Amino acid sequence: LLYKYCDKTGVPYKRVGKVIVAVNKNEIQKLKNLYERGLENKVRDIRLIGPEELKEIEPHCKGIMAVHSPYTGIIDYGQVTKSFAEEFKERGGCVYTGFEVSKFDLFNSSGLGEYFIGVHSNGKPSIFGRQVITCAGLYSDRISQLSGCSPEPQIVPFR
């Protein structure tokens, strides 16, 4: 879907493929777990490969097993989010950046079931709206928990 969006909006990308490599036996189970998650998420043509095929794809890479995702690409995600923001503003939305969320509140303003969401940040004026979309990158699990939703899945950065 992201490739289609980029084609529609002119955001550049390169579809280069990706290999994620296990270099020792201790890494194989993690690699297989990653592969299973890829299958669950319907990653196109993802597969496990051995050292011979890895060498065909990446001649200078050495490993005992790898996950190959041929349709993975690279993109300037900052440019993608700017495009999302522009489209959102064109449709009447407001975008706030540099707004570290400290708390969410839900208000029943009319007593008739019409609710508003309050979004608060320390040292800045609060924002109120009927709908809120957050974009917090590596902090999205924390924002989810602040909003009363599940903290799962938890964001765990990897090397």
Side-chain angles (χ1 to χ4, degrees):
L1 291 175
L2 185 57
Y3 288 138
K4 286 181 184 179
Y5 178 83
C6 291
D7 288 339
K8 182 181 96 175
T9 59
V11 174
Y13 63 87
K14 288 183 183 177
R15 196 176 301 185
V16 295
K18 181 181 206 171
V19 289
I20 304 166
V21 181
V23 295
N24 62 54
K25 290 180 182 178
N26 296 333
E27 296 176 335
I28 289 177
Q29 190 56 52
K30 288 181 183 178
L31 188 73
K32 287 181 177 180
N33 292 344
L34 186 62
Y35 169 71
E36 291 298 324
R37 281 200 313 259
L39 291 176
E40 290 169 12
N41 288 313
K42 298 180 176 48
V43 174
R44 184 175 170 190
D45 294 340
I46 191 171
R47 59 200 176 97
L48 284 172
I49 60 174
E52 299 81 22
E53 194 169 359
L54 174 61
K55 194 157 193 76
E56 289 174 22
I57 296 167
E58 287 292 338
H60 300 290
C61 186
K62 293 182 181 177
I64 58 175
M65 184 181 281
V67 171
H68 180 223
S69 178
Y71 291 96
T72 298
I74 55 176
I75 193 165
D76 178 349
Y77 209 77
Q79 201 168 350
V80 173
T81 57
K82 285 178 185 173
S83 179
F84 286 164
E86 288 305 313
E87 190 172 332
F88 186 70
K89 288 190 278 187
E90 288 170 6
R91 295 174 183 221
C94 297
V95 175
Y96 299 87
T97 59
F99 191 91
E100 185 176 342
V101 176
S102 61
K103 182 180 174 187
F104 289 96
D105 285 320
L106 191 60
F107 300 98
N108 184 346
S109 64
S110 66
L112 301 173
E114 185 173 26
Y115 289 90
F116 285 87
I117 302 162
V119 185
H120 310 282
S121 179
N122 296 327
K124 293 190 178 184
S126 297
I127 301 167
F128 300 91
R130 288 190 310 254
Q131 299 172 346
V132 173
I133 298 171
T134 62
C135 180
L138 290 175
Y139 296 96
S140 57
D141 55 343
R142 295 178 187 173
I143 294 298
S144 176
Q145 196 166 9
L146 278 175
S147 71
C149 295
S150 171
E152 298 296 329
Q154 187 176 18
I155 304 295
V156 180
F158 64 92
R159 58 178 170 94

